[in-house]
Amino acid sequence: MANSSNVTLVGGRRPGPSAVVSTSWRGRGELALAAVAALFTLAQLALVRPGMGLGWDETVYVSQISAHAPPAFFSAPRARGVSLLVAPITSWSSSTPLLRVYLALLSGLGLYLALRVWRGLFPARVLALAGALFASLWVTVFYGPQAMPNYWVAIGALICVGCFLRVRADRYGRADRYAPADRYDRAALGGVGAGAALMAWMRPTDAIWTALPLLALLACVRGRRRPALLTALAVGLVAGAGEWVVEAYVSYGGLGQRLSDASHIQGGLGWNIAVGDQLRSLGGRALCRPCTGAMPDVAVMAWWFVLPLLAALGLAVAVRARRTAATLVPLACATTAAVPYLFLIGYAAPRFLLPAYALLAIPVADALVHLVIVPRRVWRPVAAALVTLVLAGHLAVQYEVLEKAVDRTTAAHRGWARTAGELHRLGVRPPCLLTGSEAIPIAFYTGCSSAQTSGHNANATRAGILRTATRIPVAALAPANGSPPAYARDWPSHRYGAVRIHVAPAAGEGGRG
C-alpha cells in the first residue's frame, strides 16, 4: 500500500505538506475509528442485554468493592484490576444494568483509543477494518460489557504494542514524520507503560506472556530508545502487577506459593494441547471444563482456521511493502499471548484468546484490504464483493452464536436470582452465609457471604461455619439429587427447582442464637 503512511517505518523522508497527513487522520481516519467504537458500544447494549445478570466470576470481582454483598473469596489467579475498574459504579449502586451500560461505554472508548495508537503505522481503513473485525466477534461483544479482565488485557496489548512500534518507528523515535519529536516520543513511551500496566493490572501472567516479544526485540533497538523503552515497559509491568505481588506475600504465603496455587486451580500448568478445547468453546460455551462433547458446526469454526492464513498473508504484504516490523511484532505478541491457553492448560474459555484476536486483527485487516486493492481495476469490484460476502456470512454466524450464548447465560443467571428469592423467603437474609454448590454466585444475589471447606475456593472450616450458624442465618446448597456437606445433612431441607436448600436450624427458626 504505497499510498499509506506506513512508509515511515522504512526510515526515509519524503517532501510533502504536513496538512495532508493531519487532515486525513483528523478527518476520515478519526471518524472511521470513532464510528467503529460507537457501533461496538451500541451492539453491546442491544445484543448483550444490560439486565443479563452477573456471572460467577463477575460476582467475585464485583463483590470486592460492592454496596450489595460482602467480598467473595479471592483465589490465587485473580487480580484486582476488574474490581477497581467497576468500583465507580459498584461502590454505591447494586444496579447490574447500570454497570453493563458503564462497561459498554468504557469498552467502546477503550477500543477507540487502542486503535488510534496505531495511526501512522497503518492506513486508517486498515485500522477501521481491524477494529470492526475484532469488535464483531461474538466473544468480544459478549465480554465487552462484562466485569471480566480479558477484554481489557486485549486493549492494553494493543496500546502497548502500538506505542512500542511508534517509539522505534524511525531514527527520531517518531511514527508520524511531521510530528515534533519530543511530543510523540514522550507520549508513545507513556503509552507503552500504560498499556503494560493495564495488562498486568488485569492479569499479570498474561501481561508477561504478551510482552515477551517486546523484551526480545529490545535487543535490536539502538541508541537512547532502548533504555527508554525498557524502562517504560518494566515500569508499566511492575506498576500493574505490584499490588498482585504484594498481596501474594500478605495473603498467599509468597509469590512462589501464589503462582503454585494458581497453577493448581487451573489444573496444573504444563504441556497440554488445548486447541481442541478452544474449538469446542467457539460454539458459545463460556467455560469448557471439562471440555467434552461434539465440535461446533464447521461454519462456526471456519474463521478460526482462516485467521492464521490471513495473518501470514498480512505478513507477506508487510514484507513486500518494507514495513515488516509493524506486522511481525503484533503477530509475535499474539502468538505468545495465545501459547499458555493453547498448549499449557487442560480446559478452555473463548475469552482467554481475546488479546491474541485483538493483535491479529490488524495484519488480518491489512491482508483483506490487500486482496481488494491488488487485482486489476476491472477485477477490484469482484474482489470487493467476494470479501464483503464472506465477511457478511462470518458476521451472521458470529451473531447467531452470540444470541444463543446470551440466552443461555441469562437463563442461568435468572435461576440464581430465583434461588436467592427463595432463600429470602426461608429467612436467609443479610447478614447471612451460604456454602455448598454454586454458593459464590448465589450468595452475591442473596446478599450473603460465601464459604467453602474444600476445593479451589476453600476459605473456612466446618467448625467455623457451625459457629457462624449460631449467630446469623446459614444455608448449604446442593443439587436436587446430590448431597450437602456432611455437617448440614440433618438441617431442614427445602427443594427449589434443581437446588436443594439446607437451612441451619437457628436460621430456620428465625433466631440468631
Side-chain angles (χ1 to χ4, degrees):
M1 289 173 228
N3 62 336
S4 78
S5 57
N6 296 337
V7 293
T8 57
L9 293 176
V10 177
R13 283 178 179 253
R14 295 186 305 181
S18 62
V20 174
V21 176
S22 176
T23 302
S24 173
W25 258 104
R26 290 178 184 175
R28 292 177 301 170
E30 297 283 4
L31 184 61
L33 298 188
V36 168
L39 289 173
F40 174 52
T41 299
L42 291 175
Q44 295 175 67
L45 296 175
L47 302 175
V48 187
R49 295 179 283 270
M52 185 175 67
L54 296 178
W56 186 313
D57 292 294
E58 287 186 290
T59 63
V60 175
Y61 290 120
V62 169
S63 69
Q64 304 306 307
I65 306 176
S66 174
H68 174 69
F73 176 71
F74 208 73
S75 60
R78 302 187 188 277
R80 306 250 172 207
V82 174
S83 300
L84 296 174
L85 184 74
V86 300
I89 301 298
T90 61
S91 60
W92 60 273
S93 174
S94 61
S95 171
T96 299
L98 178 61
L99 178 61
R100 293 276 186 241
V101 172
Y102 163 76
L103 287 172
L105 292 172
L106 201 61
S107 61
L109 176 62
L111 180 64
Y112 169 74
L113 295 176
L115 291 172
R116 195 174 183 276
V117 159
W118 291 76
R119 67 192 190 280
L121 298 171
F122 286 89
R125 61 189 173 189
V126 170
L127 297 181
L129 179 57
L133 290 174
F134 176 61
S136 62
L137 293 176
W138 76 263
V139 64
T140 310
V141 180
F142 187 67
Y143 283 105
Q146 293 197 43
M148 296 290 282
N150 310 86
Y151 174 81
W152 295 103
V153 175
I155 294 300
L158 281 174
I159 293 172
C160 182
V161 175
C163 287
F164 186 96
L165 288 169
R166 290 181 68 83
V167 173
R168 74 173 298 277
D170 63 20
R171 65 192 181 94
Y172 299 99
R174 283 175 281 169
D176 185 335
R177 69 174 68 83
Y178 302 110
D182 58 346
R183 187 185 74 183
Y184 270 91
D185 187 56
R186 195 178 302 121
L189 279 173
V192 172
L198 179 59
M199 288 192 291
W201 195 35
M202 295 294 167
R203 289 186 73 88
T205 52
D206 283 13
I208 297 299
W209 279 100
T210 304
L212 283 177
L214 303 183
L215 294 169
L217 188 60
L218 283 174
C220 304
V221 176
R222 298 179 181 177
R224 65 183 176 85
R225 289 172 298 163
R226 180 188 293 178
L229 277 170
L230 181 59
T231 300
L233 188 58
V235 168
L237 292 173
V238 171
E243 186 279 333
W244 196 84
V245 173
V246 170
E247 188 180 40
Y249 287 97
V250 172
S251 304
Y252 296 89
L255 181 59
Q257 186 61 49
R258 184 168 195 177
L259 290 171
S260 176
D261 291 346
S263 174
H264 176 69
I265 289 172
Q266 293 173 314
L269 298 181
W271 183 250
N272 197 326
I273 299 178
V275 176
D277 296 344
Q278 286 292 344
L279 284 172
R280 287 185 175 88
S281 74
L282 294 177
R285 299 173 66 174
L287 181 63
C288 199
R289 185 180 190 181
C291 208
T292 57
M295 289 286 185
D297 189 89
V298 173
V300 174
M301 300 187 295
W303 71 272
W304 214 70
F305 292 100
V306 173
L307 193 64
L309 299 179
L310 288 174
L313 175 59
L315 180 58
V317 170
V319 171
R320 290 188 60 185
R322 298 173 63 194
R323 47 179 172 75
T324 306
T327 296
L328 184 59
V329 173
L331 286 178
C333 291
T335 301
T336 55
V339 162
Y341 297 115
L342 292 177
F343 303 109
L344 298 180
I345 63 173
Y347 66 99
R351 60 187 171 85
F352 290 162
L353 295 181
L354 278 172
Y357 297 151
L359 292 167
L360 288 173
I362 294 177
V364 165
D366 201 15
L368 289 174
V369 170
H370 176 79
L371 289 175
V372 171
I373 68 173
V374 163
R376 293 181 179 179
R377 187 180 301 274
V378 68
W379 290 107
R380 286 180 186 172
V382 176
L386 288 174
V387 170
T388 301
L389 184 63
V390 171
L391 290 178
H394 168 70
L395 190 64
V397 171
Q398 291 298 305
Y399 283 93
E400 182 181 359
V401 175
L402 175 64
E403 182 180 13
K404 293 178 180 177
V406 170
D407 289 343
R408 183 167 53 249
T409 303
T410 301
H413 296 176
R414 287 176 178 170
W416 291 339
R418 286 193 294 268
T419 301
E422 178 66 9
L423 283 161
H424 287 164
R425 191 188 68 81
L426 293 172
V428 182
R429 298 175 178 274
C432 49
L433 177 71
L434 297 187
T435 186
S437 177
E438 297 187 327
I440 288 178
I442 295 176
F444 180 86
Y445 279 78
T446 312
C448 299
S449 299
S450 59
Q452 300 289 356
T453 59
S454 61
H456 300 322
N457 297 303
N459 63 338
T461 63
R462 175 180 181 273
I465 292 175
L466 292 176
R467 280 196 304 270
T468 302
T470 65
R471 297 183 289 105
I472 61 174
V474 174
L477 307 176
N481 298 321
S483 300
Y487 55 82
R489 288 175 186 168
D490 295 331
W491 294 357
S493 171
H494 310 267
R495 176 158 182 176
Y496 183 75
V499 180
R500 186 167 291 280
I501 302 170
H502 299 259
V503 182
E509 296 166 6
R512 301 224 173 162

